[in-house]
Amino acid sequence: MTTDDQSATDRAATMTRQNTGPLGRLSLNTATTKALTLTEAVDGAARAGCSAVGLWRDRVHEVGAEAAGKIVRDAGLRVSSLCRAGLFTASDEAGIASALADNRSAVVEAATVGSSELVFVVGGLPASTGPGPARTPASDAERHSDRDLVSTRQRVADRIADLAPFAAEHGVRIVLEPLHPIFVADRAVLSTLGQALDLAAPYPSDVVGVAIDTYHVWWDPDLQAQIARAGAEGRIASYQVCDWVLPLAADPLLSRGYMGDGYIDFRSITQWITAAGYTGDVEVEIFNQAIWDADTDTVVRTVAERYTDLVLPYL
Amino acid sequence: MTTDDQSATDRAATMTRQNTGPLGRLSLNTATTKALTLTEAVDGAARAGCSAVGLWRDRVHEVGAEAAGKIVRDAGLRVSSLCRAGLFTASDEAGIASALADNRSAVVEAATVGSSELVFVVGGLPASTGPGPARTPASDAERHSDRDLVSTRQRVADRIADLAPFAAEHGVRIVLEPLHPIFVADRAVLSTLGQALDLAAPYPSDVVGVAIDTYHVWWDPDLQAQIARAGAEGRIASYQVCDWVLPLAADPLLSRGYMGDGYIDFRSITQWITAAGYTGDVEVEIFNQAIWDADTDTVVRTVAERYTDLVLPYL
């Protein structure tokens, strides 16, 4: 496919480009500036001195993957990752087929937009179709099936096996993102970095990797050891930073804050990431209504300042 | 101490008593009926056919520990556990001394009230004095110290070492309760059953044990293995059940629901508990404003019904 060949060339070019300057590894994720179009977000990131952007598929779909990649490159930036694939915990045939089709589209989009890193949020329990009350079961068997976390997690392993050859053919890595256990029911049955690495273990490190987002993993007593393991295995595909703020927002997904506004020890975690040999981009991905409502330049300037003060010294 | 000798005799008597009848292992935790006095809660539990009550210290302090124990025994019930000790993550000398004094009082209360199982919620980060915004640090060193999860967790180990001899002398077990990672900043830096068992490892199993509360641990990919380990080590001191309901309440502590109202797979977890050899009481501990506001007999009847339908078949 011409598009894929072209994007493979672009990827090679960006991967050999040096990360230079103080913000040479800083990437603005478009989720931090959710109200902006892709062009506006890319312009804001460039003005703040960022070197890359992490893209969500909704921003890519605005203009199409080829045009999206060009917008980023024309601004002199890299695409550090594409989000979100996954959501493939369905147990029925139609749900599985639909999820696989969408995930294959996401793989092609990642290759086209110029990122080798496609972030997977794996999905929640069958009892859930998103945040809200559990489905009322018709029978005891249905109740159990709807809530069976062990089987649901096995289906995640099965879907990775289904997708891995297709992703590998396109030069795109399946990047498994563990989500905070607060989201296990409705968003991701993948809850720890260790669990992600266990799922990745059967595959080469350039086929299945992991994303490490401080918000999701900072609480984990096994974090230092699992970051070291992820580094030794060559699987750290993305390091994402934002803070855990309290009180939680009504939608806990929006409870993320600027680094320094909450409880996370960025010094220790970033030192562990560095010790694990990670030299890639650092994405700032903050879902927060107040930040979405704020002036773009204030947001990107704050992102750059907090990164410089709290993360960069330990990279 | 006469009081302790007396309560030791009582404990021996209750521990040899057979758990009989369908609700022979059901314990109502007073947190489920927070609006009731101790006497009202004990009466309600007895009317519903429960065999035990789990006590919070606020209910015990209403009447004093000796009188509290008598109220429970006079109703023909056992005390399955006393809650809450812990909150001992302070890093300053005064804070440590104050926490140790309160914990020694709790040990004496447990012995006096007639329970060998004292549940510890260990406390959060120094940056937190409870739910709410993080403390604003005066310096980078203070920022790091306030958020240093590794050191805070080490202090938990240090305080257990301080307390263990005193607890052992009183025949009271330090029962470590891992809390859901949602609470790591402000309530408990003890986040997984595996971490609790690691902390317990240096001590005999009758000196340090663990509480397994479905709400806090259900998400853990390592849960089955750690329950088996806890059983093999003889450390399961309490099995507590309630459900994870969505959307989360504004105070996530109150987001617990009756078994069956949420996402937790009680069949699997209870089977794992049974396979681990646990034969003790099953406490129902639900923090939920709507349940606190409801009629007592409706609450205890619902607790008994849900227990009978969703937990008892797998014990």
Side-chain angles (χ1 to χ4, degrees):
Chain A
M1 215 161 106
T2 312
T3 307
D4 285 2
D5 291 349
Q6 180 58 39
S7 65
T9 311
D10 295 341
R11 283 205 306 282
T14 59
M15 287 164 74
T16 54
R17 190 190 306 171
Q18 289 299 309
N19 294 330
T20 56
L23 304 185
R25 295 173 64 183
L26 177 59
S27 175
L28 179 73
N29 187 291
T30 60
T32 306
T33 55
K34 197 181 169 74
L36 303 187
T37 64
L38 177 64
T39 301
E40 291 167 344
V42 166
D43 287 349
R47 279 200 305 279
C50 296
S51 301
V53 284
L55 301 181
W56 274 66
R57 290 174 69 198
D58 54 354
R59 288 294 88 83
V60 171
H61 293 172
E62 278 174 13
V63 295
E66 266 187 271
K70 186 168 187 313
I71 288 169
V72 177
R73 286 191 302 277
D74 287 352
L77 303 180
R78 295 183 294 276
V79 180
S80 50
S81 73
L82 178 68
C83 197
R84 168 186 73 188
L87 304 186
F88 50 20
T89 52
S91 54
D92 60 304
E93 272 188 46
I96 292 170
S98 155
L100 285 175
D102 184 60
N103 278 286
R104 283 189 290 262
S105 297
V107 166
V108 173
E109 286 168 27
T112 308
V113 83
S115 176
S116 54
E117 312 299 340
L118 177 61
V119 177
F120 280 64
V121 172
V122 302
L125 288 170
S128 167
T129 52
R135 186 166 74 177
T136 305
S139 66
D140 187 58
E142 185 180 293
R143 175 189 299 281
H144 185 251
S145 160
D146 269 4
R147 289 160 181 73
D148 185 346
L149 203 44
V150 173
S151 298
T152 306
R153 285 169 165 159
Q154 180 55 48
R155 287 198 297 278
V156 171
D158 296 343
R159 295 296 83 74
I160 294 169
D162 292 340
L163 275 168
F166 185 84
E169 278 166 29
H170 288 75
V172 169
R173 177 149 68 170
I174 295 173
V175 177
L176 300 173
E177 180 166 4
L179 257 55
H180 193 286
I182 193 178
F183 300 116
V184 69
D186 55 337
R187 293 186 189 275
V189 295
L190 179 52
S191 304
T192 65
L193 183 53
Q195 185 192 0
L197 290 168
D198 288 346
L199 282 167
Y203 305 94
S205 64
D206 61 347
V207 175
V208 183
V210 295
I212 300 174
D213 181 323
T214 54
Y215 181 83
H216 292 305
V217 301
W218 73 285
W219 58 270
D220 187 350
D222 207 24
L223 186 59
Q224 182 173 9
Q226 295 299 332
I227 287 176
R229 175 185 168 199
E233 296 179 0
R235 295 198 194 270
I236 306 179
S238 180
Y239 178 43
Q240 301 181 333
V241 291
C242 74
D243 215 333
W244 175 271
V245 295
L246 290 179
L248 289 178
D251 177 354
L253 197 67
L254 309 190
S255 263
R256 301 159 72 114
Y258 290 121
M259 298 80 80
D261 281 356
Y263 292 90
I264 294 180
D265 176 8
F266 291 98
R267 181 198 293 192
S268 295
I269 297 177
T270 305
Q271 285 172 335
W272 300 338
I273 292 280
T274 300
Y278 181 70
T279 57
D281 290 319
V282 181
E283 279 190 23
V284 178
E285 186 188 37
I286 313 177
F287 298 79
N288 179 306
Q289 191 64 52
I291 294 176
W292 291 341
D293 293 341
D295 165 72
T296 303
D297 283 325
T298 304
V299 171
V300 291
R301 195 181 59 242
T302 307
V303 162
E305 285 171 1
R306 300 297 180 87
Y307 168 81
T308 301
D309 288 350
L310 298 170
V311 179
L312 184 59
Y314 311 108
L315 284 175
Chain B
M1 209 165 107
T2 311
T3 306
D4 287 1
D5 293 348
Q6 181 58 38
S7 67
T9 310
D10 295 341
R11 282 204 306 281
T14 58
M15 286 164 74
T16 54
R17 190 190 306 173
Q18 289 299 309
N19 294 330
T20 54
L23 305 184
R25 296 172 65 183
L26 178 60
S27 175
L28 179 73
N29 187 289
T30 60
T32 307
T33 55
K34 195 180 170 73
L36 304 187
T37 65
L38 177 64
T39 302
E40 291 167 342
V42 166
D43 287 350
R47 279 201 304 279
C50 295
S51 301
V53 284
L55 302 182
W56 275 66
R57 291 173 68 199
D58 55 353
R59 290 292 88 84
V60 171
H61 293 171
E62 279 173 11
V63 295
E66 265 187 273
K70 186 170 187 312
I71 288 169
V72 177
R73 287 190 302 277
D74 287 352
L77 303 181
R78 296 183 293 278
V79 180
S80 49
S81 73
L82 178 68
C83 196
R84 168 185 70 186
L87 303 186
F88 50 21
T89 52
S91 54
D92 60 303
E93 273 187 45
I96 292 170
S98 156
L100 284 174
D102 183 61
N103 277 287
R104 283 189 290 263
S105 297
V107 166
V108 173
E109 286 168 27
T112 307
V113 83
S115 176
S116 54
E117 312 299 343
L118 178 61
V119 178
F120 280 63
V121 173
V122 302
L125 288 171
S128 168
T129 52
R135 186 165 75 178
T136 304
S139 65
D140 187 58
E142 185 180 294
R143 174 189 298 283
H144 185 250
S145 162
D146 268 4
R147 288 160 182 74
D148 185 345
L149 203 44
V150 173
S151 297
T152 306
R153 285 170 165 159
Q154 180 55 48
R155 287 198 298 279
V156 171
D158 296 343
R159 295 296 83 72
I160 294 170
D162 292 340
L163 275 168
F166 185 84
E169 278 166 29
H170 288 75
V172 169
R173 175 148 69 169
I174 295 173
V175 178
L176 301 174
E177 179 166 6
L179 257 56
H180 193 285
I182 193 176
F183 300 116
V184 68
D186 55 338
R187 294 186 188 275
V189 296
L190 178 52
S191 305
T192 65
L193 183 53
Q195 185 193 359
L197 290 168
D198 288 347
L199 281 166
Y203 306 94
S205 62
D206 60 346
V207 175
V208 183
V210 295
I212 300 173
D213 181 323
T214 55
Y215 181 83
H216 291 306
V217 301
W218 72 285
W219 58 271
D220 186 350
D222 207 25
L223 186 59
Q224 181 172 10
Q226 295 299 332
I227 287 176
R229 175 186 168 199
E233 295 179 1
R235 295 198 194 269
I236 306 179
S238 180
Y239 178 44
Q240 301 181 334
V241 292
C242 75
D243 215 334
W244 174 272
V245 295
L246 291 179
L248 289 178
D251 178 353
L253 197 68
L254 309 189
S255 264
R256 300 160 72 115
Y258 290 123
M259 298 79 80
D261 282 355
Y263 291 91
I264 295 179
D265 175 9
F266 291 98
R267 183 199 291 191
S268 295
I269 297 176
T270 305
Q271 284 172 336
W272 299 338
I273 292 281
T274 300
Y278 181 69
T279 57
D281 291 319
V282 180
E283 279 190 23
V284 177
E285 185 187 38
I286 313 178
F287 299 79
N288 179 308
Q289 192 62 52
I291 294 176
W292 291 341
D293 293 342
D295 165 73
T296 303
D297 283 325
T298 303
V299 170
V300 291
R301 195 181 58 241
T302 306
V303 162
E305 285 172 0
R306 299 297 180 89
Y307 169 81
T308 302
D309 288 348
L310 298 171
V311 179
L312 184 59
Y314 311 107
L315 284 175

